[in-house]
Amino acid sequence: MPDQDSGHYVSHYSIAIDAPIEVVWENLIDVGSWMYEFELSLVSGMPGEEGEVRRLYDGQDFLIEITKVIPNEVLVFANLPLSFNGEHSTGVAVITLDKVNDRTKVRLTMSRRYSSESGATNTQKSMRESAEFSERSKAMWQDRFLGKLKSLAETECRLLAAGGRCEYF
């Protein structure tokens, strides 16, 4: 049962991309190419492989780890446990790729849990529950990040098609 000082947030975003799954995947697995507003410095592991750990914010221990890779199908991240400004957080992001109506459908679902440490009031909870926070999150993940992934994959596919190497579906 949730308590009054914890919050659990689930976000769903999706985008249709005019490029084959393989081309979308190549760009997706290069997380820094489309999640460009984060630092994403490599902390450990091999890029694009399970166990890869990256830092999201400069000077903070906010880390994400690739926990599952099913090439051309599923990419799963875990937000490693973090305590910051009196709050404890964890989370997971699942990204799937599917062929839908001759396009690649990318679906992103993020689930995050934030709780107050030491029983103190969680001052961030009301901010995360606001419409303004939801709109900012949507603008970042849907419009900018997934929009960038779409642009990268579609541009790559056009370049490959010009050379006769991008057979779409």
Side-chain angles (χ1 to χ4, degrees):
M1 302 240 347
D3 63 58
Q4 65 187 41
D5 291 322
S6 292
H8 185 254
Y9 305 92
V10 178
S11 304
H12 304 281
Y13 305 106
S14 66
I15 196 162
I17 300 177
D18 291 320
I21 286 174
E22 296 79 15
V23 172
V24 175
W25 179 261
E26 290 172 13
N27 288 279
L28 177 69
I29 202 73
D30 180 10
V31 296
S33 69
W34 59 278
M35 287 181 21
Y36 58 91
E37 293 178 23
F38 294 122
E39 175 189 330
L40 292 172
S41 60
L42 184 65
V43 173
S44 63
M46 297 296 296
E49 294 184 12
E50 291 177 18
E52 172 189 354
V53 177
R54 291 192 176 262
R55 179 179 322 283
L56 284 183
Y57 302 106
D58 185 36
Q60 295 181 21
D61 287 330
F62 197 114
L63 306 174
I64 60 170
E65 179 178 356
I66 294 179
T67 58
K68 187 67 180 173
V69 174
I70 302 173
N72 301 318
E73 293 181 35
V74 178
L75 182 61
V76 180
F77 292 97
N79 290 2
L80 300 183
L82 170 71
S83 292
F84 187 73
N85 288 343
E87 185 178 64
H88 184 75
S89 67
T90 58
V92 65
V94 178
I95 305 170
T96 61
L97 303 180
D98 298 293
K99 180 181 172 187
V100 177
N101 298 326
D102 292 330
R103 301 173 95 189
T104 298
K105 184 81 165 202
V106 179
R107 293 181 178 93
L108 166 62
T109 299
M110 295 183 292
S111 175
R112 299 162 312 279
R113 183 176 186 276
Y114 302 91
S115 59
S116 175
E117 296 176 340
S118 308
T121 301
N122 187 340
T123 59
Q124 298 294 313
K125 187 174 187 244
S126 61
M127 181 272 301
R128 287 195 182 90
E129 293 173 342
S130 71
E132 179 183 342
F133 181 82
S134 292
E135 286 302 313
R136 279 197 325 257
S137 182
K138 179 183 180 283
M140 180 171 64
W141 289 100
Q142 178 74 46
D143 302 338
R144 294 194 304 272
F145 289 173
L146 291 182
K148 178 68 172 185
L149 179 63
K150 177 181 174 70
S151 175
L152 289 167
E154 289 179 354
T155 298
E156 182 177 342
C157 193
R158 282 192 298 276
L159 292 172
L160 291 171
R165 294 178 295 154
C166 187
E167 294 182 26
Y168 191 69
F169 297 112

